[in-house]
Amino acid sequence: MYKFVYVIAFWIVCGFLSISYSYAAVVTGQVVESAASAKKTYNVNGNRVNGALLTIEGTNFQAVTNSGGAFTFTQEIPPGVYNIGAYKDGYYLETKRVTVGDVPLNLLFVLTRKTNAPISENPMMPSGSSPGYISDALYVAYSAITIPGSPASSGSASFPAVGSNMTSMQFKAAIAAGADVNTLHGMPAPKSIFQQGVDLANSGDFYTPISNQPNTIAVVDPYSPKNTTFVTMNTKPYWVCFDNSGNKVFVSTDTQYIHVIDVNAGNKVIGTIPTGGIVTDITRAPDGNVYASVSGSRPGILVINPLSNSASAFYPVKSSGRIGSEAQPRAVAVGANYIYVAMGTNSAGEILALNRSGGSVLGACTVGAFPSGLCVSPNGKYLFSANRNSGTLSVLDASRLSLLGTVRVGTQPTKVVSSPRGDKIYVTNYGSNYLSVLDGRTCSIIATVPTGKGPMGLGISADGTRVFVANNTENNLSIINAESNSVIQTTTPSTTSRPFGLAVRPGGMR
């Protein structure tokens, strides 16, 4: 017992965190085309399907096939009976019901092409198709720019508006919370990284159309941003997420409603859901529901049923008392067993674990000040919290809700995502204008990638090859190569709106 405590203390003192992954049940396999469609070439190597998404129903577990059509679930999969699906745009979904135990599984999925699937010279993007029908399409919320000196909109209360003094307040609060003053004044990335710069030949100028409408959802083809289209909103959009099918988009707005967009109906708004407060975050979950954290006079978690486009439950939440009664929900994430809620003030923060059926609080853990981003690792074992006012990323044991360690990132870290395999963690640093890239096993920083000013919204493609960042104060997007940690393209800045949240369409429709 004492030796264990000593080892943990040693790690904390040395500032070193190591996460150990174990893979008890190994599930591998291959995805190929059926003989009937093997002569057609649609991003395949022979009859092996590259870039197919494998998902285990009811979990966060995913895998993506390589150029040889092979896949491996790198997550530790508990023994049990599961439905595993294989999907790629242009093919029909194939599912298998399998029993996972101690013996390694090697599966074969045979996909049949849809008869009307287009063939393209560009294997990443079917020619002639609308961005609304592309796997990995980005939906980005562009909200009208606040006039300098005017009050911030109520819908963006969590973040500074143009001309507001929120930034200075946050710096002061972070210092009061014990943050490193040098970090708060900027934590520059290594010069070698910044000197890479952006390939001007691929910059957004003259490539990406922008909308003159102040409030829109930009539908961006990540492989050809010049094909961007726009959905006009009659209110300010802020946070965005898809349902698990990829057929519906849920957009929070400053009017305290969530708007529902039908992708397959030409991106038409088909419903509105009242929230009763300001939505600070929204996410989809393995159980098929969509969850939103709501701040205001009645803070809580709103549970949405995508099939009915309506709220199915609302779980009121309040601080455990460790950080002050004024704490509000700032972010939400959902694992296999719990709903995680980030509660925060300008000078404190904590994570609550709620029962998924009923919303009762099962545990709490203190993290850094103003936690504004949450992410569960693909294997469900770890929880990451981006603590905006402390300049840190907290790493927690997701099942025990205990703090494993804290990593210093940049100034005002805002959102965090994991790669599909869990081998990398990405954090946007609003005040440092760069993306922190961490090793998913050790949680050490392995790269910093320059972005535009005020990086905020964050997403990653289903195959983990591209990372997308919404630059809130430069009014554009950065598209990043996840393998080389370099900027592929920076889109043209909007003259009317600032991007907040973004969502990547799931790799498969179910």
Side-chain angles (χ1 to χ4, degrees):
M1 174 65 180
Y2 293 106
K3 183 178 179 181
F4 175 77
V5 173
Y6 172 78
V7 171
I8 294 296
F10 176 78
W11 283 353
I12 294 175
V13 169
C14 293
F16 177 80
L17 173 67
S18 178
I19 291 178
S20 175
Y21 287 79
S22 61
Y23 312 118
V26 178
V27 178
T28 61
Q30 190 175 53
V31 179
V32 300
E33 279 195 339
S34 66
S37 60
K39 293 182 180 180
K40 299 180 180 180
T41 56
Y42 177 75
N43 198 21
V44 296
N45 179 10
N47 66 337
R48 299 172 177 86
V49 181
N50 177 24
L53 176 69
L54 285 297
T55 59
I56 300 181
E57 185 178 357
T59 74
N60 288 323
F61 303 150
Q62 292 184 339
V64 179
T65 57
N66 61 21
S67 59
F71 67 88
T72 300
F73 283 95
T74 60
Q75 307 90 350
E76 180 181 352
I77 302 173
V81 179
Y82 299 94
N83 290 323
I84 301 181
Y87 185 86
K88 182 177 176 63
D89 268 3
Y91 297 87
Y92 291 104
L93 170 72
E94 184 186 6
T95 61
K96 291 182 181 292
R97 190 165 180 84
V98 301
T99 299
V100 176
D102 296 332
V103 179
L105 288 181
N106 189 271
L107 307 174
L108 176 65
F109 289 85
V110 181
L111 300 188
T112 301
R113 184 186 303 282
K114 296 178 180 178
T115 56
N116 61 348
I119 307 299
S120 171
E121 293 180 0
N122 178 1
M124 305 301 291
M125 159 74 179
S127 63
S129 62
S130 164
Y133 293 84
I134 301 171
S135 173
D136 284 358
L138 302 180
Y139 280 58
V140 188
Y142 275 87
S143 178
I145 295 174
T146 305
I147 299 174
S150 66
S153 165
S154 61
S156 59
S158 296
F159 300 97
V162 175
S164 75
N165 63 353
M166 188 64 177
T167 300
S168 63
M169 289 173 59
Q170 289 173 333
F171 273 84
K172 292 176 182 178
I175 293 172
D180 184 344
V181 177
N182 294 325
T183 300
L184 291 175
H185 284 290
M187 183 177 167
K191 291 183 179 179
S192 60
I193 299 294
F194 274 105
Q195 287 173 350
Q196 290 177 5
V198 178
D199 183 356
L200 295 179
N202 291 321
S203 68
D205 293 339
F206 311 110
Y207 279 80
T208 309
I210 57 176
S211 173
N212 292 324
Q213 296 297 323
N215 295 308
T216 60
I217 300 297
V219 183
V220 184
D221 172 4
Y223 304 104
S224 184
K226 65 182 179 181
N227 294 328
T228 298
T229 60
F230 299 89
V231 180
T232 301
M233 307 289 290
N234 59 8
T235 183
K236 290 184 177 183
Y238 288 109
W239 307 113
V240 191
C241 84
F242 280 91
D243 68 347
N244 285 343
S245 72
N247 295 326
K248 291 181 180 179
V249 185
F250 296 82
V251 183
S252 70
T253 70
D254 65 342
T255 57
Q256 300 186 14
Y257 280 88
I258 291 174
H259 293 240
V260 185
I261 295 175
D262 188 332
V263 173
N264 295 323
N267 291 316
K268 179 181 178 181
V269 176
I270 59 172
T272 55
I273 304 168
T275 63
I278 300 167
V279 173
T280 56
D281 194 17
I282 187 168
T283 188
R284 59 191 176 95
D287 62 9
N289 291 322
V290 170
Y291 292 77
S293 55
V294 181
S295 67
S297 59
R298 188 169 178 256
I301 299 299
L302 185 70
V303 185
I304 298 171
N305 183 342
L307 297 179
S308 62
N309 300 329
S310 62
S312 59
F314 182 84
Y315 303 141
V317 296
K318 62 180 180 179
S319 169
S320 66
R322 300 181 183 184
I323 63 171
S325 59
E326 71 276 16
Q328 291 279 341
R330 305 297 180 185
V332 61
V334 183
N337 299 313
Y338 308 113
I339 304 167
Y340 302 99
V341 187
M343 303 290 291
T345 67
N346 278 341
S347 58
E350 69 176 352
I351 308 299
L352 303 180
L354 310 184
N355 189 324
R356 284 179 56 181
S357 58
S360 59
V361 177
L362 302 177
C365 181
T366 302
V367 292
F370 207 101
S372 60
L374 283 181
C375 169
V376 179
S377 64
N379 64 6
K381 295 177 67 174
Y382 304 102
L383 180 68
F384 303 94
S385 171
N387 308 313
R388 185 177 171 90
N389 283 9
S390 294
T392 60
L393 180 75
S394 296
V395 184
L396 299 90
D397 184 307
S399 60
R400 296 180 175 86
L401 200 64
S402 58
L403 185 66
L404 296 174
T406 301
V407 183
R408 176 71 64 183
V409 283
T411 304
Q412 295 178 290
T414 302
K415 295 296 180 183
V416 54
V417 300
S418 169
S419 66
R421 297 182 182 277
D423 58 336
K424 292 183 180 180
I425 307 299
Y426 299 90
V427 182
T428 49
N429 297 285
Y430 186 91
S432 295
N433 302 329
Y434 63 75
L435 180 75
S436 293
V437 186
L438 290 81
D439 186 298
R441 295 174 183 265
T442 65
C443 285
S444 58
I445 295 177
I446 56 177
T448 49
V449 184
T451 61
K453 296 179 180 178
M456 182 180 288
L458 179 62
I460 189 167
S461 62
D463 61 5
T465 60
R466 296 195 177 196
V467 180
F468 311 104
V469 177
N471 301 309
N472 181 253
T473 58
E474 198 164 302
N475 308 338
N476 59 9
L477 304 176
S478 295
I479 301 175
I480 296 167
N481 184 319
E483 182 176 351
S484 63
N485 295 317
S486 60
V487 177
I488 299 172
Q489 185 170 35
T490 302
T491 67
T492 306
S494 169
T495 58
T496 62
S497 302
R498 305 168 68 180
F500 282 78
L502 63 81
V504 183
R505 193 177 188 201
M509 293 181 289
R510 292 187 290 240

